[in-house]
Amino acid sequence: MRIHHHPVLRPLQRKEINFTFNGQTYKGLEGEPIAAALLANNIRTLRVHEESGTPRGIYCNIGHCYECRVTVNGIQGKRACLTPLTHHMDINSGEILSTAVRDWRKQHDHSL
Amino acid sequence: MTTHYDVLIIGAGPAGLSAAIEMKSLAPHLNIGIIDEYLLAGGRLLGQLYEESKGQWWNGFRKSEELRQQIQQLNIDLFLEVSVYDLIIKDESVTFFTERGRMTSKYALIATGASEVPTPIEGWTLPGVMSVGAAQVMTNVHRVKPGKQGVIIGVNMLSSAIAMELALAEVNVKAMALPLYSIENEQHAIPKVIFKQVMAAAHMAPSLLAKLGSKILFTDHLKDFAIQFYPKKGIKMWGIPIYMRSAIKRIEGEGKVERVIMVDITTDGKEIPSTERAIPADFVCLSGGLTPLAELVSLAGVPFYAIEALGGHVPLHNEQMETPIPQIFVAGNVTGIEGAKVAMAQGRVAAQSILLRFNQSSKKQLQQRIAQVHEERRHAAIQFHPLLEQGREELYEKWKLEQSQ
Amino acid sequence: MNNQSSIICRCEEVSSKKLHQVANEQRCSARELKLRTRAGMGYCGGRTCRIAINKIATHYQATQTTNLPLKYQAPIRPVSFEQVGTGGELK
């Protein structure tokens, strides 16, 4: 997936480093956004929707949509598209959270 | 580290960077800071790449790096990876609330650029579906292909420019087509409307859609070529078939994009039954064009006007890039969708207006910079709307009206 | 003729169908449509879906003169209490 030869753009000079995503180790380039490093490893699902569990990946890639938010070194809500990769970075997807009120509504409000 | 500035600029894109360079070069004693939430300076300029004339490339990535180096040499504080989440204007100064604390300045230039208009379509939350700008940034800035094979949904200036860039990077784009009609996608889904825009673009983007426009004319030798004669199998540009008589109905896949479903449509955008077929894809780009990203200007209390030719709701401002709020100036795509060179020229105008407040410029210098905006606009490689100049005039009229009250 | 199977608000997973149904029944402003459906009230603050919500609300209104687009409210980015609590100086 990486572009090594481009007819116009000069190649980027970046150091290869290791990072983990959901416990598995991958290689990425230092300083590139987490989202680029994951895509280069053919990983598209960055998190699941907190309620429905539907998979989500990058959408806007410039920090507006927050679809790519992941937990980075224990800090939640980091945008993978804006956060530069560092050596040994530990990245995790979020989980499905319980939404008791919504679940109750689903059973009682039939217009939903 | 100081948190008090003479001027703070929000947005390290072409407008913001040019404004900072202009101000600091002419008035080195001014304390100037730039804030941007991205990890590189350059904004949307970073991903831009097109051939201006034979062998001459507008390389946004390199240009961004040059601007960043100038910023560094001039000792301008550049804060990257810092999001601004609020501002207040009090005691004749502006306070920005950022992820890393507060920053204040006497004057502020808001150059937050534009965001992309989505075209919501069934299946667009699947991983692998992204805005067309997202694919551009992945490809041209980070040098990672958005996927092995993909489809672009939405035919407009932005998506055409990026389709060409993807083709250049040998990203396999199998089709470019309209989204199937829905009320939310109305502006992007009616072939006869889009077709007119493409034909109008023939005069506005010599290197882009114009080629498609002239190709159509050339192919059919018809003066009044109409959408009903547009070939069903599309017309190829940069090796990518561009469809206007077929639309994408939905995106499908188990947990990720695997295919898009295409249908034939009438010239009004109505689906023709029993024409569904699948195109295998592992990525999809959506594009509804660009619209000014005006959140911060709005919080500052600047009034807005909806002007279609400028890309949507734009903050009230004049040709000097002043807003009705004396501390707030604007420049770049937040004032209307145009190319990077116009944005840079606008940044220099805003810089001159701010310098005048510090008695560091002259009306004459300001006028010269305004003239350069007109010059850049006339020579723009891409004009995003045929009525752009009228749109600008319309807004300046609103300004005059507001000032006279 | 409307393809309504898509989601409009990605954060709160509000469908096009739901938005059209409520907008049709209520003939309300974009703001009311948002409050009734939660579309635009999720994590991203409506940054991705606001244009579509405005469009749907406007479509069902008899006169467009009363139509006000959704306004922006601070904070325009999700922000943690730790960040809000950080006083004057830059970290």
Side-chain angles (χ1 to χ4, degrees), chain A residues 3-47:
Chain A
I3 299 162
H4 296 288
H5 304 285
H6 191 285
V8 186
L9 298 168
R10 271 180 296 182
L12 302 173
Q13 304 295 336
R14 277 177 172 168
K15 202 173 93 189
E16 198 174 68
I17 53 170
N18 290 326
F19 68 99
T20 61
F21 178 64
N22 290 340
Q24 216 176 320
T25 305
Y26 297 94
K27 288 197 188 306
L29 302 180
E30 190 173 32
E32 71 179 343
I34 292 170
L38 289 171
L39 184 60
N41 283 286
N42 208 18
I43 295 167
R44 292 166 181 280
T45 301
L46 302 192
R47 55 175 263 273

Side-chain angles (χ1 to χ4, degrees), chain B residues 18-290:
Chain B
S18 303
I21 292 165
E22 176 94 346
M23 281 187 274
K24 194 74 179 175
S25 316
L26 295 169
H29 66 282
L30 287 184
N31 214 340
I32 299 169
I34 312 175
I35 311 174
D36 195 296
E37 67 182 337
Y38 203 60
L39 45 87
L40 297 168
R44 287 203 173 272
L45 177 61
L46 278 165
Q48 289 178 10
L49 187 64
Y50 59 85
E51 203 169 13
E52 291 185 290
S53 55
K54 197 90 193 125
Q56 284 289 327
W57 289 83
W58 174 254
N59 182 338
F61 192 81
R62 201 171 60 200
K63 186 75 202 169
S64 299
E65 179 52 23
E66 285 167 15
L67 291 169
R68 193 199 58 78
Q69 281 173 8
Q70 275 179 279
I71 294 289
Q72 199 176 10
Q73 281 156 11
L74 288 165
N75 281 319
I76 297 165
D77 289 343
L78 173 63
F79 302 96
L80 296 174
E81 296 175 60
V82 178
S83 297
V84 175
Y85 62 86
D86 198 6
L87 66 79
I88 51 168
I89 300 163
K90 210 173 79 179
D91 305 329
E92 301 194 341
S93 76
V94 191
T95 301
F96 290 100
F97 296 80
T98 83
E99 281 178 324
R100 291 200 216 158
R102 289 179 210 175
M103 297 169 88
T104 63
S105 64
K106 291 190 186 85
Y107 297 102
L109 170 60
I110 301 184
T112 44
S115 64
E116 282 187 72
V117 179
T119 52
I121 165 170
E122 187 178 349
W124 75 307
T125 59
L126 283 170
V129 183
M130 63 193 85
S131 72
V132 78
Q136 178 189 45
V137 170
M138 276 301 174
T139 306
N140 287 350
V141 182
H142 306 303
R143 317 290 164 77
V144 181
K145 290 185 183 184
K148 292 189 180 72
Q149 50 180 4
V151 172
I152 298 175
I153 305 177
V155 179
N156 53 57
M157 223 39 122
L158 180 73
S159 67
S160 305
I162 297 175
M164 188 187 65
E165 293 166 6
L166 293 179
L168 192 67
E170 294 181 352
V171 174
N172 182 6
V173 180
K174 294 170 77 183
M176 190 163 158
L178 308 180
L180 184 61
Y181 179 92
S182 68
I183 283 152
E184 336 35 300
N185 287 339
E186 188 176 36
Q187 280 169 301
H188 318 290
I190 301 174
K192 58 184 184 191
V193 176
I194 303 296
F195 183 77
K196 257 193 204 149
Q197 287 169 7
V198 169
M199 294 310 280
H203 310 288
M204 301 188 300
S207 57
L208 293 171
L209 281 176
K211 275 191 193 153
L212 180 61
S214 57
K215 215 165 171 176
I216 295 167
L217 291 174
F218 185 75
T219 314
D220 293 85
H221 307 284
L222 281 171
K223 244 192 199 155
D224 302 309
F225 183 79
I227 181 68
Q228 53 264 38
F229 301 117
Y230 194 93
K232 278 257 159 66
K233 62 175 183 6
I235 289 177
K236 270 199 181 176
M237 285 293 296
W238 326 286
I240 305 166
I242 302 177
Y243 297 94
M244 283 206 218
R245 301 300 307 278
S246 305
I248 307 300
K249 188 175 180 180
R250 63 179 178 275
I251 306 161
E252 291 183 347
E254 279 302 317
K256 60 181 195 292
V257 174
E258 288 170 341
R259 71 198 81 84
V260 301
I261 303 300
M262 189 183 249
V263 293
D264 288 343
I265 50 173
T266 66
T267 55
D268 298 317
K270 287 193 182 74
E271 180 181 350
I272 298 170
S274 314
T275 56
E276 281 194 13
R277 67 263 191 200
I279 302 176
D282 67 349
F283 77 95
V284 171
C285 301
L286 298 183
S287 180
L290 292 165

Side-chain angles (χ1 to χ4, degrees), chain C residues 28-75:
Chain C
C28 55
S29 66
R31 178 176 147 74
E32 194 179 329
L33 183 59
K34 166 179 136 174
L35 295 175
R36 283 178 179 276
T37 61
R38 283 202 61 80
M41 294 179 77
Y43 202 103
C44 89
R47 206 166 291 114
T48 312
C49 64
R50 53 182 295 123
I51 292 176
I53 296 170
N54 284 334
K55 249 198 127 86
I56 295 169
T58 312
H59 180 79
Y60 290 97
Q61 280 168 357
T63 58
Q64 301 201 351
T65 48
T66 55
N67 180 52
L68 280 173
L70 290 175
K71 77 181 199 49
Y72 291 105
Q73 274 166 306

